Amino acid sequence: MKQEEFILDNSNPELVAESAADLEDGVENRLEEEEQLIQDEWGAPVAEADGDQTIPKRLIGSIAAVGSLAFLGILTETLMTVLFPALMEEFNISTSLVQWVTTIYLLSVAATMPLSGFLNRRFTLKSLFVAAVALAVIGSVIMIFGYRFWLVLVARCLQGIGSGIATPLMMNIILEQSPKTKIGRLMGVGALVITVAPAIGPTVGGAVSAVWPWRTVFMIVVPILVLVSLPLGLHCIEQKRPTEAAHLNAVQFVAVVVALVGLLFGVNELGVAISDGVSGAPAAGSIVAAVASLVIGLASLVFFCWSARKSFSPLIRLGWLRDRVNLLHVVAYALLPLLSFGFGYVITNLAQLSLGTDALIAGLLMMPGALVGALCAPLGGMMYDRFGAVKPIVGSLIACGVGLVLLFVFSAHLTPFTLAAFFFLFGVGYALCISNIMTSGMSGIPGPFMPDGNAVFNTVMQFGGAAGITLFSTIMAICQAGHGTIGSAAYVRATTSGGTWIFLTMLVVFAVAFACLLTAFRLRRARLAKAGTDKSAR
């Protein structure tokens, strides 16, 4: 039976019954695998179960090749924000227009990631890797030689599509080909790739812009991709599973893109409307745009979910989300990036507009927490391999919670040092747990649905990060509205107040994510206990 037939049209009862039976068998097999890995009530795996498995050298090379591609994509995305002044001067454009350099990139990434499940089933891993490298190289070449702003936007769109292919591809390779006893460690390495780039991006961008023209960044990227990443990937990437004759559902793809864009734009316009209303400016146009965008976005999302359930070959198979344990992991994985991505906005703006630091110091305040946290990501994976999911994730989340509580309690009396120190606690805890949350969530998904699960996890992370920046910038704009100009005492107090409200909102979001994970662990524990009882009875 073909894998794409796990979710079928209800008009064919025989195929539906067969598909349901296959799904049930897959879930039962997954439960048996989990039960074998459970040593105690906390879900600690027995390391000896699979022996002392070694990581194949070709797997290491595959992860390095695809990881370097994903790393460079994320690095160029984060450093571009520092290059805004240079771009504005060269192309003679405004701040609102230059922001499209990052906006169109993020939208391209978010629109591509839902395709990763289909691409993984339809094409070989090596062909996807080559396509991602080609898009990244073509985009970089256009950035080097493009002397019109619209060409820069085209280049960023191509690079975003390449990154949208590369990041899920790296995770798919890790999930499909890693030894069971090493999967947590390798997922930590994947998280290291994803989290180090944003940590050093602003610093790299600032250093480059201070010494060389901004195009130098892409002059460095192209040789690395062509001479290092591409040959390494062509030699090391292996195909462990057959491809399928999957078909792209264009209607569902459009629905996903419209949903993502509509929801993000709606939240942003809602913030603009509230800010305009507080300051006394006309807000009717923003309100209409916000409501229309949110309605269209939600309607598109509902349509996509409905269509995926009815479709013979959906863009993303969502049947595994009917399992509450899987769904709760996805919700938590969508909420936590709101905080991580949001801190990039909050800390730099608080430091400059409330604490009076310059842009360089504001960027450096994030460096310790982001960089050290990123370097700790593989350690989190090793803890998962040794202790299972619950203890490492809960312990790391407690560190995140302590950092958030301290930021909220001392929000009115922060200094650059305390701001960096409290974020350090959050950053290290976040890096230790975030890849483990995905690993834990993916462990409950039957094998044929792994590419779809990977697509959903990566998509909600990107959407959550973008939504976090939008949400927290909106809160700050509302608090600052009607309080004078930048630098005035009233504006400083309003910014400080905005920081307090943002940290409170972060605590609420964190509490919801934490509760989702605790509930998921409780349900999984009860399920495994019941499975053990039933097995003993037989």
Side-chain angles (χ1 to χ4, degrees), residues 396-428:
S396 302
L397 286 175
I398 289 174
C400 293
V402 170
L404 287 172
V405 169
L406 290 172
L407 283 167
F408 173 67
V409 171
F410 294 97
S411 59
H413 308 284
L414 288 171
T415 65
F417 174 78
T418 55
L419 180 60
F422 297 158
F423 171 70
F424 181 86
L425 285 175
F426 174 87
V428 172

Side-chain angles (χ1 to χ4, degrees), residues 321-339:
L321 282 173
R322 289 194 291 268
D323 185 332
R324 286 190 295 165
V325 173
N326 297 338
L327 179 61
L328 289 169
H329 276 84
V330 170
V331 172
Y333 200 74
L335 291 177
L336 290 174
L338 264 81
L339 312 182

Side-chain angles (χ1 to χ4, degrees), residues 200-289:
I200 67 175
T203 304
V204 171
V208 169
S209 62
V211 180
W212 298 299
W214 64 270
R215 300 176 194 273
T216 306
V217 172
F218 301 96
M219 295 179 184
I220 298 172
V221 166
V222 171
I224 295 175
L225 292 175
V226 174
L227 300 179
V228 180
S229 300
L230 182 60
L232 184 62
L234 290 175
H235 175 70
C236 294
I237 294 177
E238 297 179 302
Q239 189 71 23
K240 298 290 188 179
R241 48 145 186 84
T243 58
E244 306 173 22
H247 301 284
L248 175 62
N249 192 314
V251 174
Q252 292 178 9
F253 174 64
V254 172
V256 169
V257 174
V258 172
L260 294 173
V261 175
L263 292 174
L264 284 177
F265 186 77
V267 172
N268 182 70
E269 286 300 302
L270 184 62
V272 171
I274 297 174
S275 180
D276 289 343
V278 172
S279 61
S286 297
I287 293 175
V288 172

Side-chain angles (χ1 to χ4, degrees), residues 39-257:
Q39 184 179 23
D40 56 27
E41 63 181 9
W42 288 103
V46 182
E48 296 81 11
D50 294 300
D52 186 17
Q53 295 177 321
T54 58
I55 302 173
K57 291 182 179 179
R58 284 204 167 189
L59 177 58
I60 296 174
S62 300
I63 296 173
V66 185
S68 63
L69 177 58
F71 174 85
L72 291 173
I74 298 171
L75 180 69
T76 57
E77 185 267 321
T78 54
L79 66 81
M80 286 303 293
T81 57
V82 184
L83 302 178
F84 278 1
L87 294 170
M88 293 168 65
E89 181 179 357
E90 176 173 336
F91 296 108
N92 192 26
I93 54 178
S94 65
T95 302
S96 59
L97 190 57
V98 77
Q99 288 178 350
W100 276 100
V101 171
T102 55
T103 300
I104 199 167
Y105 178 91
L106 291 173
L107 287 176
S108 299
V109 173
T112 305
M113 282 190 171
L115 287 172
S116 62
F118 160 77
L119 295 174
N120 186 267
R121 299 195 303 272
R122 181 66 179 82
F123 302 101
T124 64
L125 300 176
K126 191 172 291 186
S127 63
L128 291 175
F129 171 72
V130 172
V133 171
L135 288 167
V137 170
I138 293 172
S140 297
V141 171
I142 295 175
M143 291 292 287
I144 295 171
F145 296 104
Y147 285 88
R148 295 288 186 272
F149 185 64
W150 68 268
L151 285 174
V152 171
L153 295 182
V154 170
R156 296 302 289 158
C157 184
L158 293 175
Q159 290 173 323
I161 296 173
S163 294
I165 295 173
T167 304
L169 178 61
M170 177 180 64
M171 294 302 182
N172 272 327
I173 290 174
I174 293 174
L175 290 167
E176 291 179 359
Q177 302 183 13
S178 298
K180 289 183 180 179
T181 58
K182 300 293 190 294
I183 190 168
R185 186 176 309 178
L186 292 176
M187 285 293 286
V189 172
L192 173 66
V193 170
I194 295 173
T195 52
V196 164
I200 67 175
T203 304
V204 171
V208 169
S209 62
V211 180
W212 298 299
W214 64 270
R215 300 176 194 273
T216 306
V217 172
F218 301 96
M219 295 179 184
I220 298 172
V221 166
V222 171
I224 295 175
L225 292 175
V226 174
L227 300 179
V228 180
S229 300
L230 182 60
L232 184 62
L234 290 175
H235 175 70
C236 294
I237 294 177
E238 297 179 302
Q239 189 71 23
K240 298 290 188 179
R241 48 145 186 84
T243 58
E244 306 173 22
H247 301 284
L248 175 62
N249 192 314
V251 174
Q252 292 178 9
F253 174 64
V254 172
V256 169
V257 174

